[in-house]
């Protein structure tokens, strides 16, 4: 939010440097993120002076140029080549001297330099209105008042306004400070605590009166709960034109573009007092009637930006007798606004329900200055005052007559909130005792009324504009920010206790696994749990019924909570592939959300995604594509690192995977992994294969904590290795070979490893060859050849009998 220092000084007469004021505002909780300079004329007309044209004659080498001699108060006159048709001897003109920087209409800077034009030297430039940024006229040079003294800086002649602009990072709860008046009110409280008493100067409405009652607009509110207060009046015989310079400068300083005097005044009052206003062309109000109501779902309405919008049944609209004219508190309509032909207006000032405005603004993707304030909560008691303030400004600037009484529909008066504040609670929360007189002084400076005082505390009335102060702790926070967080003492002694935590805590195991994956070349990602309404609907059966939907979504793309970690991961892959990153390995810890018969369910997950090569190519190693076995190896390494063994595998039934396996421990699914279906990847414009593993992290945490770790000594006796080359049927899996070996020999068999697979044309049809390595070891003594041969014979017989294997 931008705050003009000059504007702020209209409410509070303060001669501090902007930096000092900014520091106080930050200490008060209105964090000043930056201070910028503003000049009503860019460049401030620095280097531009009043010159006197001593001589003007035709350029010897150009028909349309003139050679002038101009006195700017220097020792010798300047020779300047000028192409303006109206330049003449005796004129007083603005002269940009050598080295002066001027700015084009698009903001581009250019510097005046000494040069030659058609063979004649030129030592400056006689300027037109648009070249100085003082207007749009470029028909000729500016001719100044003949009484002006030669050499006078033009920034004194044209009274260039200079300002300092605060950029305030306003927190959402501080709706009371969404205006210059609100900031000044806070600043006054901060100054009062520093024993600097300043009067808060507010605009006077005392000279307001109704001139006639010739233009009455009937107003009715059908939805009182959505528009608790609605005010309005009419002004006739106005002249819509450009605003005066002072008004334009105020708006430009805070980044607004002037439009016309009536619209500019509504914007001015909005940023002055924090009350949004809207002006309707009275001639465009059918039936001289205003109705505040909702319309049926699907109704069409064209907003000021020319976009036709489809209305929701909860969108509050400002209508006339025949049509909608404005989305209440959000955006005006294309066919009811003020233009240069407008001669009479209906001026609106209202309080709309914050929740309703926020929902409407988000539904239509609109964020206006008005909706920004309405959805945070404005001061309902300021509505009529701001209306009259704007009406008086319109009369002053655009002329006209107040041609109706003020309509004020406010049936259910809003009472100020009451809070009882105990002194003990203040001291307990702040950590030190603040004198009671200081507390009362701070509350008074914040316009919080003290109704009664007891030995234990204070009975308070909170002003209506402080919508965020509803509890005792809120009042204490107000006291503390004015008292100053920096004024709270800290004990020199720091006391802390060492917490006893399990090594199986969630965050500890996440770090263990995260470090493991990072070491294997994976990058951690963090994605949004909110996804689009149709995300994954075509991928999973009945997923649409399982979704947890947001009641008040930020947008259609963020309207439901994800049911799988896959889709946000695919978004990340697409984002990277679109930026020429093809070899990707990601992991993410996150949550999924589902609706069940018992309510909503939230599950913790770890997901892995890989596409492209396992590793980047380099001089020592060619690129190798990431495949299912690569992913399975990573998954197995994670489970082994967590001490999880005795895993059962079976083909997956996951609807997101075209092929893969499900791993279980004691019938509990711990992970599913495999190849993502191509049609799912194509929805994200991903043409490469994507591998995906989804860990049930809740189950893993439980299993890891229950898993008993057994330590064994390093064996003293040597291992013995033997190999088999087995001829097997194609349908036989390595897992069957592996498990059968351990079922036959449990005592001495330590490891089984598949080190080669051959499926060439030299083998019988339907056959394959496995080269398997067996590691044998007796931890008590060295194995003898007889023992080894006996074990290998048992293995050979088992493979032949149960798997139909032959030794090659």
């Amino acid at each position: 939010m931008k705050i003009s220092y000059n504007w702020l000084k209209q409410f509070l007469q303060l001669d501090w440097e902007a930096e000092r004021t900014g520091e106080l505002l930050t200490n008060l909780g209105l964090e000043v993120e930056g201070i910028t300079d503003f000049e009503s004329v860019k460049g401030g007309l620095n280097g531009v002076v009043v010159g006197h044209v001593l001589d003007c004659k035709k350029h010897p080498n150009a028909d349309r140029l003139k050679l002038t001699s101009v006195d700017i108060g220097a020792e010798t006159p300047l020779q300047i080549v000028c192409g303006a048709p109206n330049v003449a001897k005796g004129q007083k003109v603005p002269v940009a001297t050598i080295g002066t920087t001027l700015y084009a209409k698009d903001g581009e800077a250019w510097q005046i330099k000494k040069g030659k034009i058609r063979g004649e030297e030129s030592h400056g430039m006689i300027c037109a209105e648009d070249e100085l940024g003082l207007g749009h006229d470029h028909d000729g040079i500016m001719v100044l008042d003949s009484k002006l003294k030669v050499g006078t800086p033009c920034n004194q002649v044209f009274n260039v306004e200079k300002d300092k602009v605060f950029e305030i990072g306003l927190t959402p709860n501080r709706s009371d400070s969404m205006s210059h008046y609100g900031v000044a009110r806070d600043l006054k409280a901060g100054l009062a605590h520093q024993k600097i008493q300043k009067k808060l100067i507010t605009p006077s409405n005392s000279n307001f009166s109704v001139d006639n009652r010739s233009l009455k607009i009937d107003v009715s509110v059908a939805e009182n709960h959505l528009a608790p207060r609605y005010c309005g009046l009419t002004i006739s015989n106005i002249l819509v034109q450009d605003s005066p310079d002072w008004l334009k400068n105020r708006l430009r300083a805070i980044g607004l573009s002037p439009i016309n005097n009536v619209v500019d005044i509504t914007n001015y009052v909005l940023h002055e007092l924090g009350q949004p206003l809207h002006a309707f062309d009275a001639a465009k109000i059918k039936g001289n009637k205003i109705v505040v109501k909702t319309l049926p779902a699907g109704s069409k309405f064209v907003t000021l930006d020319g976009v036709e919008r489809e209305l929701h049944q909860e969108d509050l609209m400002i209508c006339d007798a025949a049509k909608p004219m404005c989305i209440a508190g959000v955006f005006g309509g294309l066919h009811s606004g003020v233009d240069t032909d407008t001669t009479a207006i209906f001026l609106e000032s209202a309080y709309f329900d914050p929740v309703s405005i926020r929902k409407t603004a988000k539904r239509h993707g609109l964020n206006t200055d008005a909706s920004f304030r309405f959805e945070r909560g404005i001061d309902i008691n300021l509505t009529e005052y701001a209306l009259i303030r704007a009406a008086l400004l319109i009369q002053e600037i655009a002329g006209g007559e107040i041609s109706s009484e003020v309509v004020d529909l406010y049936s259910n008066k809003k009472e100020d909130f009451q809070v009882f504040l105990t002194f003990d609670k203040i001291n307990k929360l702040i950590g030190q005792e603040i004198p009671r007189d200081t507390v009362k002084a701070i509350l008074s400076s914040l316009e919080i009324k003290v109704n009664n005082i007891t030995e234990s505390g204070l009975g308070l009335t909170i002003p209506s504009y402080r919508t965020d102060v509803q509890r005792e702790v809120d009042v204490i926070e107000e006291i503390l920010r004015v008292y100053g967080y920096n004024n709270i003492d800290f004990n020199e002694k720091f006391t802390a206790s060492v917490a006893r935590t399990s090594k199986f805590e969630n965050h500890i195991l996440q770090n263990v696994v995260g470090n493991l994956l990072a070491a294997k070349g994976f990058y951690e990602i963090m994605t949004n749990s909110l996804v689009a309404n149709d995300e994954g609907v075509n991928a999973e059966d009945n997923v649409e019924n399982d979704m947890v939907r947001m009641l008040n979504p930020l947008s259609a793309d963020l309207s439901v909570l994800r049911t799988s970690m896959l889709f946000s991961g695919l978004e990340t892959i697409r984002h990277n592939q679109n930026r020429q990153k093809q070899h990707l390995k990601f992991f993410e810890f996150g949550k999924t959300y589902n609706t069940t018969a018992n309510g909503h369910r939230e599950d913790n997950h770890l997901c892995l995604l890989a596409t492209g090569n396992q590793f980047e190519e380099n001089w020592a190693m060619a690129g190798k594509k990431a495949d299912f076995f690569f992913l399975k190896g990573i998954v197995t390494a994670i489970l082994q690192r967590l001490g999880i063994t005795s895993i059962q595998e079976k083909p997956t039934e996951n609807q997101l995977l075209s092929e893969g396996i499900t791993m279980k421990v004691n019938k509990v699914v711990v992970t599913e992994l495999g190849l993502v279906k191509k049609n799912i990847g194509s929805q994200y414009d991903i043409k490469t294969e994507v591998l995906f593993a989804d860990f049930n992290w809740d189950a893993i945490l439980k299993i890891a904590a229950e898993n008993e770790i057994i330590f064994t000594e390093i064996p003293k006796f040597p291992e013995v290795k033997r190999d088999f080359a087995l001829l097997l049927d194609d349908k036989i899996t390595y897992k069957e070979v592996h498990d059968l070996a351990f079922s036959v020999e449990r005592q001495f068999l330590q490891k089984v490893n598949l080190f080669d697979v051959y499926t060439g044309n030299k083998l019988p049809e339907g056959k394959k060859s496995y080269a398997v390595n067996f590691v044998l070891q007796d931890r008590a003594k060295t194995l003898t050849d007889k023992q080894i041969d006996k074990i290998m014979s048992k293995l050979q017989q088992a493979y032949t009998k149960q798997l139909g294997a032959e030794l090659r």
Side-chain angles (χ1 to χ4, degrees), residues 409-427:
L409 303 182
Y410 188 19
S411 54
N412 299 316
K413 303 289 185 187
K414 186 176 180 181
E415 299 294 332
D416 290 339
F417 203 79
Q418 307 292 319
V419 172
F420 187 78
L421 176 66
T422 58
F423 295 120
D424 286 343
K425 187 75 169 180
I426 298 173
N427 299 334

Side-chain angles (χ1 to χ4, degrees), residues 227-295:
R229 188 173 190 183
Y230 191 91
C231 301
L233 56 76
T234 60
I235 308 174
S236 303
N237 300 322
I238 62 172
L239 178 61
V240 179
Q241 57 186 1
D242 281 351
S243 298
D245 288 342
W246 70 266
L247 179 52
K248 290 180 179 179
N249 290 340
R250 287 286 178 267
L251 297 179
R252 285 171 177 156
I254 58 173
L256 298 183
S257 298
I259 299 172
N260 61 53
N261 49 9
V262 173
V263 175
D264 291 350
I265 288 168
T266 61
N267 285 330
Y268 178 84
V269 173
L270 181 148
H271 289 276
E272 178 186 50
L273 302 176
Q275 171 66 54
L277 304 166
H278 192 75
F280 299 93
D281 188 330
K284 299 174 184 176
I285 301 175
K286 302 298 183 184
N288 281 354
K289 188 174 184 179
I290 294 284
V291 183
V292 184
K293 62 180 181 179
T294 56
L295 295 176

Side-chain angles (χ1 to χ4, degrees), residues 445-615:
S445 69
L446 291 169
E447 300 181 3
I448 296 176
K449 183 180 177 182
V450 179
N451 299 320
N452 55 76
I453 304 174
T454 67
E455 189 60 32
S456 60
L458 305 170
L460 307 174
T461 297
I462 310 300
S464 59
Y465 59 82
R466 289 313 305 268
T467 57
D468 62 319
V469 181
Q470 302 287 300
R471 304 167 299 167
E472 186 179 14
V473 291
D474 297 330
V475 178
I476 295 172
E477 181 185 358
E478 291 299 294
I479 294 169
L480 184 55
R481 70 181 183 84
V482 175
Y483 183 77
Y485 291 95
N486 295 334
N487 294 325
I488 302 300
D489 296 329
F490 291 90
N491 293 328
E492 293 183 2
K493 181 181 178 182
F494 182 78
T495 304
S497 59
V498 178
R500 181 180 179 183
T501 59
S502 167
K503 64 180 179 181
F504 298 107
E505 290 284 341
N506 186 7
H507 69 279
I508 294 176
L509 292 189
Q510 282 193 22
N511 283 336
V512 168
V513 173
N515 289 335
L516 171 65
L517 289 168
K520 293 183 177 295
F522 280 73
Y523 287 90
E524 184 172 10
I525 60 174
M526 297 178 69
T527 60
N528 201 332
S529 296
L530 291 169
V531 296
N533 186 44
D534 59 350
E535 193 109 63
V537 170
N538 298 324
E540 296 181 274
D541 291 340
N542 301 319
V543 71
E544 189 169 8
N545 297 325
D546 295 340
M547 288 180 171
V548 180
R549 302 182 182 280
M550 304 300 293
L551 294 176
N552 186 22
L554 292 172
S555 69
D557 291 335
L558 299 170
S559 58
V560 298
L561 289 164
R562 63 186 174 193
T563 57
S564 170
M565 300 281 286
L566 174 63
F567 307 114
S568 48
L570 292 176
E571 287 276 9
T572 308
I573 288 176
R574 175 172 64 182
H575 179 85
N576 281 270
Q577 286 188 344
N578 288 343
R579 288 155 181 79
Q580 309 303 315
K581 299 292 183 182
Q582 302 301 322
H583 310 301
L584 304 168
K585 291 178 292 182
F586 296 136
F587 73 94
E588 179 180 13
F589 290 96
K591 295 182 178 182
T592 61
Y593 308 84
N594 297 88
T595 301
T596 67
N598 298 322
H600 299 315
R601 197 181 78 198
E602 188 174 309
D603 299 308
N604 289 293
H605 290 260
L606 162 65
C607 79
L608 310 181
L609 294 115
T611 186
N613 291 341
Q614 296 179 21
F615 304 101

Side-chain angles (χ1 to χ4, degrees), residues 493-773:
K493 181 181 178 182
F494 182 78
T495 304
S497 59
V498 178
R500 181 180 179 183
T501 59
S502 167
K503 64 180 179 181
F504 298 107
E505 290 284 341
N506 186 7
H507 69 279
I508 294 176
L509 292 189
Q510 282 193 22
N511 283 336
V512 168
V513 173
N515 289 335
L516 171 65
L517 289 168
K520 293 183 177 295
F522 280 73
Y523 287 90
E524 184 172 10
I525 60 174
M526 297 178 69
T527 60
N528 201 332
S529 296
L530 291 169
V531 296
N533 186 44
D534 59 350
E535 193 109 63
V537 170
N538 298 324
E540 296 181 274
D541 291 340
N542 301 319
V543 71
E544 189 169 8
N545 297 325
D546 295 340
M547 288 180 171
V548 180
R549 302 182 182 280
M550 304 300 293
L551 294 176
N552 186 22
L554 292 172
S555 69
D557 291 335
L558 299 170
S559 58
V560 298
L561 289 164
R562 63 186 174 193
T563 57
S564 170
M565 300 281 286
L566 174 63
F567 307 114
S568 48
L570 292 176
E571 287 276 9
T572 308
I573 288 176
R574 175 172 64 182
H575 179 85
N576 281 270
Q577 286 188 344
N578 288 343
R579 288 155 181 79
Q580 309 303 315
K581 299 292 183 182
Q582 302 301 322
H583 310 301
L584 304 168
K585 291 178 292 182
F586 296 136
F587 73 94
E588 179 180 13
F589 290 96
K591 295 182 178 182
T592 61
Y593 308 84
N594 297 88
T595 301
T596 67
N598 298 322
H600 299 315
R601 197 181 78 198
E602 188 174 309
D603 299 308
N604 289 293
H605 290 260
L606 162 65
C607 79
L608 310 181
L609 294 115
T611 186
N613 291 341
Q614 296 179 21
F615 304 101
E616 293 283 353
E617 290 187 29
N618 58 60
W619 65 273
M621 182 172 59
K624 184 179 180 182
K625 184 179 178 182
D627 55 15
F628 171 80
F629 297 102
F630 165 74
L631 183 64
K632 185 182 177 184
I634 299 295
V635 170
T636 304
I638 292 172
L639 295 175
Q640 289 178 348
R641 179 65 182 83
L642 297 175
I644 299 175
T645 55
S646 304
I647 299 167
Q648 301 90 43
E649 298 178 7
K650 70 170 189 176
T652 186
E653 298 178 359
N654 192 312
Q655 298 296 316
L656 302 173
L657 304 176
S658 59
E659 53 185 312
I661 60 172
T662 296
M663 293 183 171
K664 293 184 177 182
V665 175
N666 298 327
K667 298 183 179 180
V668 177
V669 175
V670 292
T671 185
E672 294 178 293
L673 65 146
L675 188 65
V676 177
K677 287 182 176 178
K678 288 185 177 180
N679 66 317
I680 297 177
S682 64
Q683 293 177 20
Y684 295 85
D685 301 321
I686 298 173
K687 297 179 175 59
T688 56
E689 289 185 348
V690 177
L691 298 161
F692 175 65
D694 185 12
F695 289 81
N696 181 348
W697 191 249
D698 291 319
I700 285 175
L701 290 175
K702 185 177 179 181
I703 294 169
E706 294 173 350
N707 189 44
E708 185 177 354
I709 298 175
I710 300 173
F711 295 91
T712 57
E713 291 184 2
I714 297 175
K716 298 179 181 178
F717 300 96
E719 294 177 341
V720 177
K721 296 182 181 181
R722 294 289 187 270
D723 297 335
F724 276 164
L726 301 172
L727 187 65
L728 299 160
D729 291 340
D730 275 341
K731 63 181 181 180
I732 302 297
T733 64
Y734 167 66
K735 186 176 186 303
E736 291 176 273
V737 175
H738 177 277
D739 292 348
L740 180 58
F742 280 102
S743 67
V744 171
E745 178 54 52
R746 298 178 182 273
Q747 183 178 1
F748 300 126
L749 183 61
Q750 304 297 324
K751 298 177 188 176
V752 178
N753 178 46
L754 176 67
F755 64 89
D756 187 44
V757 177
Y758 178 66
T759 57
N761 53 16
K762 295 182 179 180
L763 298 179
E765 186 176 351
K767 296 290 185 176
K768 61 184 176 183
S769 175
Y770 276 178
V772 185
N773 174 257

Side-chain angles (χ1 to χ4, degrees), residues 93-214:
V93 293
V95 178
T97 56
I98 292 173
T100 299
T101 300
L102 299 179
Y103 295 86
K105 292 179 181 179
D106 59 2
E108 185 179 351
W110 51 290
Q111 193 176 57
I112 302 298
K113 298 178 180 178
K114 176 183 175 181
K116 276 191 175 185
I117 302 177
R118 293 290 185 94
E120 296 292 338
E121 289 188 355
S122 185
H123 297 267
M125 176 177 171
I126 304 175
C127 301
E129 185 179 280
D130 65 331
E131 291 166 337
L132 296 177
L134 296 171
H136 304 288
D137 187 9
H138 193 70
D139 292 338
I141 60 165
M142 287 188 75
V143 180
L144 306 178
D145 189 338
S146 60
K147 296 179 181 178
L148 290 174
K149 183 180 178 181
V150 169
T152 303
C154 282
N155 52 20
Q156 297 178 14
V157 175
F158 294 103
N159 195 22
V160 175
E161 181 174 353
K162 296 185 178 182
D163 197 358
K164 296 283 187 179
V165 179
F166 300 105
E167 183 67 47
I168 295 179
L170 195 67
T171 52
N173 64 308
R174 292 304 307 276
S175 60
D176 61 297
S177 296
M178 294 188 297
S179 65
H180 287 75
Y181 177 60
V183 173
R185 189 167 49 199
D186 237 31
L187 192 56
K188 174 180 176 292
L191 291 168
H193 183 64
Q194 296 186 12
K195 309 302 181 186
I196 303 172
Q197 300 300 328
K198 292 289 182 180
K199 181 181 178 182
L200 192 62
I201 304 168
T202 56
S204 174
N205 288 346
S206 60
N207 60 341
F208 174 79
S209 63
V210 177
D211 297 308
N212 57 65
R213 293 167 180 81
S214 60

